[in-house]
Amino acid sequence: HSFFFRYYVDQALSPAQSYSTMTSEESDKMEEDDTSSTRCKQVMSAISKTLGKLSEFELMGFQRKLWKYYPQSFNTPPQNTDLVDLVDRLLECYSLENSFQITKTVLAEMGKKKLVEYVDTLCLRNEVRYELAECLKQKYGECEDYGGEKRPFDDVHTTLKIVSTCDNGPNIEHEVMKIGKLDSNQEAPKEISTADILTPNYLETSSSRFILLTGVAGSGKSMAVRRLVLDWIEERAHEHVTFLFPLPFRELKQFEGEKLSLVGLVKKLYPATEKLRDGDYRCDECQMMFVLDGLDEYHWKIDFENTELMTDPTDTRNLNVIVVNLMRARLLYRGLFLVTTRPYVHACVPWDMHYNEIEVLGFRDTQRDEYFQKRFKDSNQAARVIDYINSTKTLRIMCHLPLFCSIVADECQHVFKEKGTHAELPNSITYMYTKLLFALLRQNRKWRAPENSVDKERDFLIKLGKLAFSMLERGQYKITQTNWKENGINDPEAVPYTGLCTQYVTKPYVLVNENVLSFIHPTMQEYLAALYAMLTFANLGKNVFEEKPKNKVKGMFRGPTPSEMYKNAVDRSLQCEDGRLDIFLRFLFGMTLKTNQELLQPFFTSPLKWPTATGDAAALIRKRMKDSQNPERNRNLHCCLKELGSQSLGSVSSLTDC
């Protein structure tokens, strides 16, 4: 007999005995026992599917034998009982084990040996399915926030915006400017959920066994995978997807250099599948879905043309051969495959392969608020954080990224813990963006470029920031091949791996596709431009706002002062009527603040010695606010004061005469 039934199910009593010997406490426990309920559904499903293979005449014969051998339980005419009522009656009168054995005994007496084997197989799969679900529940039932704290996933999970179209381009909503859509997909996207992906309707109407789930860095792809896994667990009596196997690429790395089969790989990651037989991987009725999470973290070359063909899941090959053939949908003829990646990697999908691409776009405003309400159990704290986000439009917009929401939540939580619920929250958007920058760089260093040093990252950021700055001055938000060369970026393919940029496909002409890159959001371009200006000044002594060095004295060049750089930046910003340098200016002044300079310290080649920088900057801003007649520019200058934390700062400096 199956261990699944022997271990969990007692011998059956008659219905009357069962209820009479059960205490109220035991009865309550059984009603609350989801495990028993799940197993009951699985047994009911296995028996129903097996009996469903009988013809109408054979099913009548099965019923007659039940009435003949078990008259105490079946005392109504068999012709009045349909299949569902029959199975219900069987499970009502007998334990799971006995119901299962009665079904097998009657089928054997009818000479239905193959159906006896079939119901055994179904029950074995149900056992494995249950144990796999328990394993996945432990692994995916908790999530770790940006600060490293673990909490139940359902306590923080918020529904993501997932759409059925791809190449939607970055979010271009902006606090100051109206930026036109960057020539990306113009189709109106249809929203779907992770639960939809597991439904027969979606999988059958898509006519594709391969799904590519894309999204920019921090948009919630891994959160979507976690939700998908838990959806499968909660619906594990679902008939369509029998087994779901998450295969995160960061976990697959441990098998690099090994020879193993797909079956062996699954068993190593999920020991609960040991009992599955090789035939289960090839069976049409045993639908398996493989979720390959994080293709952008995979280092090996994915060569669909030259990698050897592999169609047998028991064949032994190296990891790359298995991955390529999984993505080619050659392994497991009836398998389903979902791959998550940042958008630029979707070019790795074979040109001749039919697949569905869906995109995670992060949070809407209502979903963002729901996230903070779940994250903070204290409703007053949640309300304060939501008010804080809404007080600055740039923060509100950027919170479409779940990663950014997590960073903001961690910082606010730290303030509440240290200073109380009514403490002042950070005024500086620069601080939050700097935290986001380091979160993305840390992910890139850990999973994609472990060899990167701080010096390499600094040089890369200066080059990328120079590109961001030159594009910003021109009002340009789409990166072209010429831009790479102009700014000394020799490996443009490495840019998206940082998570600071994204790639999408445009169709400028009929039958013409063009790969386009942009920053993940216009404000990230503005932040990197400000970082370039700051690092160039601090490390190289150059003012990016001066075309040629000035102040030649006795054959020597006197380096620019912080005051001069700030003055040039403000004046350049005020000249832009469209406000294209407004947010850039806020970031530049924000980087003057000590807390932000401490975060950015790894990128400075020597300690900064600007004791009066904050006061000087505040004085300059106030003077320009008095001189300017433009309400919008003045409003932005006031925001620059907020970045300095200096609304009431009254210091006087030499800049007041500028």
Side-chain angles (χ1 to χ4, degrees):
H1 299 328
S2 168
F3 168 81
F4 172 75
F5 295 105
R6 288 204 316 269
Y7 184 78
Y8 290 102
V9 184
D10 294 328
Q11 290 298 312
L13 300 170
S14 70
Q17 287 176 302
S18 296
Y19 290 114
S20 64
T21 58
M22 188 184 301
T23 66
S24 60
E25 182 179 347
E26 290 171 335
S27 178
D28 292 340
K29 185 179 179 182
M30 284 192 66
E31 290 177 0
E32 297 170 2
D33 191 349
D34 291 336
T35 301
S36 297
S37 174
T38 298
R39 288 197 165 94
C40 185
K41 289 178 183 177
Q42 290 176 343
V43 175
M44 183 176 181
S45 173
I47 295 175
S48 297
K49 284 186 71 173
T50 304
L51 297 183
K53 291 184 175 293
L54 295 173
S55 68
E56 187 176 342
F57 178 78
E58 289 171 333
L59 182 60
M60 186 66 71
F62 181 89
Q63 291 177 346
R64 287 196 187 96
K65 290 188 180 296
L66 284 181
W67 265 255
K68 177 180 178 181
Y69 298 127
Y70 308 99
Q72 73 280 11
S73 302
F74 299 94
N75 48 25
T76 58
Q79 61 268 25
N80 294 332
T81 307
D82 63 16
L83 178 58
V84 175
D85 291 338
L86 175 66
V87 177
D88 282 345
R89 182 62 178 163
L90 193 61
L91 292 173
E92 179 186 330
C93 296
Y94 300 98
S95 68
L96 297 180
E97 169 70 11
N98 280 12
S99 298
F100 177 63
Q101 292 303 329
I102 288 171
T103 302
K104 287 176 60 178
T105 300
V106 175
L107 287 174
E109 188 166 317
M110 293 173 64
K112 299 294 183 181
K113 182 179 179 182
K114 287 188 177 180
L115 286 185
V116 173
E117 294 173 354
Y118 178 72
V119 75
D120 272 332
T121 298
L122 290 181
C123 289
L124 172 66
R125 289 175 189 164
N126 281 340
E127 177 185 349
V128 174
R129 188 172 182 167
Y130 175 80
E131 292 175 358
L132 174 65
E134 290 299 302
C135 171
L136 293 176
K137 189 186 295 183
Q138 291 183 1
K139 184 175 181 180
Y140 288 90
E142 285 188 335
C143 62
E144 189 173 295
D145 58 31
Y146 172 70
E149 183 179 347
K150 289 187 176 182
R151 61 187 75 230
F153 179 71
D154 286 333
D155 283 2
V156 294
H157 172 259
T158 309
T159 304
L160 293 161
K161 184 178 181 180
I162 305 176
V163 295
S164 58
T165 58
C166 60
D167 295 316
N168 294 285
N171 181 328
I172 43 85
E173 186 183 0
H174 196 273
E175 178 177 339
V176 179
M177 295 181 295
K178 290 184 178 180
I179 302 172
K181 192 169 174 61
L182 303 182
D183 300 324
S184 56
N185 196 325
Q186 301 296 324
E187 297 178 18
K190 177 184 176 183
E191 289 195 33
I192 62 174
S193 69
T194 52
D196 291 334
I197 298 173
L198 295 174
T199 61
N201 182 55
Y202 176 81
L203 295 169
E204 288 168 5
T205 54
S206 69
S207 68
S208 173
R209 296 186 296 113
F210 191 96
I211 303 168
L212 197 64
L213 187 149
T214 65
V216 302
S219 60
K221 296 181 297 298
S222 292
M223 181 184 288
V225 167
R226 196 176 292 272
R227 182 69 269 168
L228 177 73
V229 172
L230 294 177
D231 283 343
W232 178 79
I233 291 171
E234 292 165 7
E235 297 290 333
R236 54 182 178 267
H238 200 289
E239 298 293 329
H240 198 65
V241 179
T242 312
F243 295 107
L244 187 143
F245 300 119
L247 303 178
F249 278 98
R250 63 185 61 176
E251 291 183 24
L252 293 181
K253 287 181 181 179
Q254 64 184 296
F255 302 111
E256 290 181 357
E258 288 188 35
K259 295 278 189 180
L260 71 170
S261 66
L262 175 63
V263 173
L265 175 66
V266 171
K267 287 180 178 179
K268 284 189 176 184
L269 289 174
Y270 303 105
T273 62
E274 253 331 310
K275 297 170 188 174
L276 286 181
R277 298 159 296 191
D278 294 347
D280 292 318
Y281 288 84
R282 301 186 181 94
C283 179
D284 285 353
E285 291 190 355
C286 187
Q287 187 82 79
M288 296 184 177
M289 174 176 274
F290 292 83
V291 181
L292 292 93
D293 185 19
L295 178 60
D296 47 286
E297 298 172 2
Y298 189 62
H299 296 294
W300 285 23
K301 183 179 180 181
I302 299 178
D303 186 349
F304 294 107
E305 298 297 325
N306 302 308
T307 302
E308 64 180 297
L309 177 66
M310 181 181 179
T311 58
D312 189 338
T314 63
D315 283 351
T316 301
R317 296 288 189 278
N318 65 43
L319 178 64
N320 193 55
V321 173
I322 294 175
V323 168
V324 171
N325 280 278
L326 274 175
M327 292 189 59
R328 200 68 164 100
R330 286 168 171 166
L331 268 172
L332 305 183
Y333 173 71
R334 288 279 296 158
L336 300 169
F337 307 94
L338 184 142
V339 176
T340 74
T341 182
R342 292 178 184 172
Y344 56 88
V345 186
H346 77 280
C348 292
V349 177
W351 66 270
D352 61 342
M353 184 171 177
H354 178 60
Y355 65 97
N356 274 8
E357 186 169 6
I358 56 181
E359 187 169 2
V360 182
L361 300 180
F363 290 151
R364 296 189 214 84
D365 285 354
T366 54
Q367 295 166 335
R368 176 208 65 206
D369 291 351
E370 183 185 348
Y371 171 84
F372 289 117
Q373 287 164 352
K374 283 188 171 184
R375 178 69 188 271
F376 292 89
K377 298 304 181 186
D378 186 325
S379 59
N380 292 327
Q381 292 182 355
R384 281 216 61 209
V385 175
I386 292 172
D387 288 343
Y388 164 66
I389 294 299
N390 289 331
S391 68
T392 306
K393 190 174 180 180
T394 292
L395 281 185
R396 180 183 66 76
I397 293 170
M398 204 58 179
C399 275
H400 76 280
L401 294 177
L403 175 60
F404 194 76
C405 285
S406 178
I407 291 170
V408 171
D410 287 338
E411 292 304 317
C412 293
Q413 192 172 46
H414 177 73
V415 170
F416 292 149
K417 186 176 180 180
E418 294 293 318
K419 301 178 181 179
T421 300
H422 300 290
E424 183 180 1
L425 296 174
N427 280 322
S428 174
I429 63 171
T430 311
Y431 182 77
M432 295 301 182
Y433 272 74
T434 304
K435 286 280 189 176
L436 176 63
L437 172 69
F438 276 92
L440 293 174
L441 290 178
R442 183 163 54 249
Q443 286 181 357
N444 183 56
R445 193 184 309 124
K446 183 176 182 180
W447 302 114
R448 300 171 186 86
E451 72 285 351
N452 271 10
S453 64
V454 173
D455 290 341
K456 277 187 177 181
E457 286 184 339
R458 181 197 306 118
D459 293 343
F460 174 78
L461 287 175
I462 289 176
K463 289 179 180 178
L464 192 60
K466 183 180 179 182
L467 170 62
F469 181 71
S470 62
M471 289 172 57
L472 190 60
E473 286 202 304
R474 296 192 297 268
Q476 177 186 339
Y477 299 94
K478 187 168 70 174
I479 305 173
T480 65
Q481 289 294 334
T482 306
N483 299 140
W484 298 127
K485 297 174 183 177
E486 289 175 350
N487 294 278
I489 298 176
N490 299 319
D491 186 14
E493 290 185 4
V495 176
Y497 281 90
T498 61
L500 300 170
C501 294
T502 184
Q503 177 175 301
Y504 52 96
V505 177
T506 65
K507 297 179 180 179
Y509 311 104
V510 177
L511 301 180
V512 175
N513 291 343
E514 179 185 359
N515 288 331
V516 175
L517 277 91
S518 69
F519 293 90
I520 59 172
H521 191 265
T523 54
M524 180 53 75
Q525 178 177 338
E526 292 160 324
Y527 174 86
L528 290 171
L531 182 62
Y532 159 69
M534 176 60 71
L535 293 180
T536 301
F537 179 83
N539 296 343
L540 304 177
K542 294 182 180 179
N543 183 349
V544 299
F545 302 100
E546 289 184 354
E547 294 185 5
K548 293 182 180 179
K550 297 181 180 179
N551 303 317
K552 186 175 181 180
V553 180
K554 295 182 180 181
M556 301 293 290
F557 288 104
R558 177 177 67 82
T561 65
S563 300
E564 291 172 337
M565 180 187 69
Y566 292 135
K567 179 179 179 297
N568 294 153
V570 171
D571 291 344
R572 185 76 64 88
S573 171
L574 292 175
Q575 291 170 9
C576 298
E577 291 295 326
D578 62 357
R580 76 178 68 156
L581 294 181
D582 280 11
I583 306 297
F584 160 84
L585 194 65
R586 291 188 210 174
F587 286 135
L588 186 62
F589 278 112
M591 290 174 188
T592 307
L593 207 60
K594 183 180 178 182
T595 52
N596 293 324
Q597 289 193 356
E598 287 174 349
L599 287 176
L600 292 168
Q601 189 58 48
F603 297 133
F604 294 123
T605 54
S606 60
L608 296 180
K609 298 178 180 179
W610 301 350
T612 63
T614 303
D616 291 349
L620 168 67
I621 292 170
R622 285 202 184 85
K623 185 174 189 307
R624 288 294 184 266
M625 288 176 71
K626 289 180 182 178
D627 297 341
S628 173
Q629 301 300 314
N630 189 321
E632 287 301 314
R633 302 290 78 77
N634 275 355
R635 175 186 163 280
N636 189 62
L637 290 173
H638 176 73
C639 292
C640 291
L641 281 179
K642 286 182 65 178
E643 283 299 305
L644 293 170
S646 55
Q647 296 94 322
S648 57
L649 197 62
S651 63
V652 179
S653 73
S654 58
L655 281 177
T656 55
D657 297 327
C658 293

